[in-house]
Structure formats: structure tokens, C-alpha cells
Amino acid sequence: DAGVTQSPTHLIKTRGQQVTLRCSPISGHKSVSWYQQVLGQGPQFIFQYYEKEERGRGNFPDRFSARQFPNYSSELNVNALLLGDSALYLCASSFNWGAQYFGPGTRLTVL
Amino acid sequence: QQQVKQSPQSLIVQKGGISIINCAYENTAFDYFPWYQQFPGKGPALLIAIRPDVSEKKEGRFTISFNKSAKQFSLHIMDSQPGDSATYFCAASMTSGNTPLVFGKGTRLSVIA
């Protein structure tokens, strides 16, 4: 079975630009969560979606937005990129509340 | 406010030895405690998880010990192997409230031959 997939793998942007990251959950999973992982730290929660509705939002600025599509895939958008947005962005899917399975992540570098 | 505190920050263990990583949490409403293993450049992989109704869970060489009264839980890796060298994260969440995972800061484990 395919796990969580994310695209692109790597991304280089400049300050002020906008970026869209994509995630496909494990088949049958209806919940998708996004996390940001800065080098040397644990993942920090950004958003959670379930059945296309936002169910939770972490302490991130409004420059961060997300959505979930009818096929349960999801996009994370970040506007007006800052140097501090450079991180590994992780998508996790879950069938119910509890076990979350992470994808390989998208490495975003902001120059 | 760090809700999950993890220690040690780094750990060096001899091959065949026991690796022990500890975590402490503050929120007594947490009811799900997973451990993740992460290799460089990869996403975290779910290793093992426990709920507060049991004090220990074992899967292969990996064991979680849980102390509800002390609000602590730990990961034990028996017969540690060089392939276990990775960063390990503990986490916690309230599944009843559908809250996201709160992670510790991670422990970098190095198993040397």
C-alpha cells in the first residue's frame, strides 16, 4: 500500500514569494495534518483537516493557509515567504484520532 | 510552554546495549503517546504508541513504559543496533478532543559498534 506522498521533494524560493505544497493521504484516511519541522526541532502543528473541514490550527500567521479536496488530498499555501519559513513541511494522515502517519516531507528553502 | 519534555538530547550506546529515552508531559488530558523514528532527510515514522490504560507495551525490540502518576513515559530499545541510529521523538495528544500531536524536541541516538 502506498504511504503518504508529498510534492515537491525540495523547493527553493526567494523572500516574498508564494509556495504551494501538496499531500496525498493513505488510501482510506480522511484526516490530513500539516506540520513544520525546523532543523533540530520536533514537528510543530500548522493545520488539521477532516472531511474537507478545518478542525484545528496551530500558532502560525495568516500567511499560512490550507485546504482539503474531495479526494482527501491537501494543499498548504504560504504567502509572502520569510527566511524563517525555511523548514521541512510534513503532511500526516490518519484514519481516526490517534495514529498519524507522516509523508517524506517537502524541504523548503527561502533565500 | 513546552508540553512534552524529552531527554536526553543525544545518546551514544554500544551495539547490543539498551537505549533509554525519557519524556514527561504536563497535560493530564493527553491520552495517546506515540514514539517516532526519523532518519536524516526523511519524515518521522511511527514506531510504537501507548494509551494510559496500560503501563507497558512491547513490539519487538522496542518497549514503552508508562507512568501515569508521574506523567512520564519512556522508550527502551533492547539490543541496540547501528541501524537504530536516528532521531527519536516522543509525542502526545488528546484523541478524545481530536487535538494535534505535541512533540518533544527529539533525541539523537548513535549506536556504535
Side-chain angles (χ1 to χ4, degrees):
Chain A
D1 288 340
V4 178
T5 59
Q6 292 186 244
S7 64
T9 304
H10 296 89
L11 207 51
I12 299 175
K13 292 286 187 178
T14 57
R15 282 177 295 175
Q17 285 189 310
Q18 176 265 342
V19 67
T20 298
L21 311 180
R22 296 175 176 83
C23 169
S24 291
I26 293 171
S27 178
H29 286 191
K30 299 181 179 180
S31 179
V32 168
S33 298
W34 288 94
Y35 291 80
Q36 180 196 65
Q37 186 177 26
V38 176
L39 196 63
Q41 299 292 321
Q44 294 290 317
F45 171 71
I46 309 175
F47 284 109
Q48 182 181 47
Y49 278 79
Y50 179 77
E51 287 280 16
K52 302 178 288 295
E53 290 187 4
E54 182 182 308
R55 291 301 184 93
R57 182 185 182 118
N59 188 23
F60 280 81
D62 292 343
R63 299 184 295 107
F64 288 76
S65 64
R67 56 179 175 169
Q68 186 177 32
F69 299 98
N71 66 352
Y72 303 111
S73 66
S74 178
E75 287 183 352
L76 175 69
N77 295 284
V78 187
N79 294 320
L81 286 168
L82 303 174
L83 295 179
D85 295 332
S86 295
L88 181 67
Y89 288 85
L90 296 162
C91 173
S93 79
S94 60
F95 177 72
N96 53 19
W97 320 132
Q100 293 192 28
Y101 300 91
F102 285 85
T106 293
R107 172 69 63 188
L108 173 64
T109 301
V110 182
L111 303 177
Chain B
Q1 180 186 8
Q2 186 183 355
Q3 297 190 56
V4 179
K5 294 184 178 180
Q6 183 172 346
S7 62
Q9 187 175 358
S10 63
L11 182 63
I12 299 175
V13 174
Q14 292 279 347
K15 178 182 176 181
I18 303 173
S19 303
I20 302 175
I21 304 171
N22 302 298
C23 280
Y25 62 97
E26 300 169 1
N27 191 340
T28 55
F30 286 146
D31 63 358
Y32 176 70
F33 303 90
W35 284 90
Y36 285 85
Q37 178 190 59
Q38 186 175 31
F39 293 103
K42 306 293 184 182
L46 180 61
L47 203 56
I48 186 173
I50 197 168
R51 295 189 182 275
D53 53 343
V54 296
S55 60
E56 186 175 282
K57 183 175 182 179
K58 182 177 181 179
E59 290 185 3
R61 296 185 295 110
F62 301 92
T63 299
I64 298 180
S65 296
F66 186 82
N67 186 327
K68 188 174 181 179
S69 60
K71 295 188 291 184
Q72 295 176 347
F73 59 109
S74 60
L75 176 69
H76 296 231
I77 306 175
M78 312 299 287
D79 187 27
S80 299
Q81 299 297 313
D84 296 330
S85 297
T87 299
Y88 292 81
F89 292 95
C90 63
S93 70
M94 290 182 280
T95 57
S96 57
N98 185 27
T99 62
L101 290 168
V102 178
F103 283 84
K105 290 189 174 183
T107 296
R108 178 173 290 186
L109 172 65
S110 297
V111 181
I112 56 176

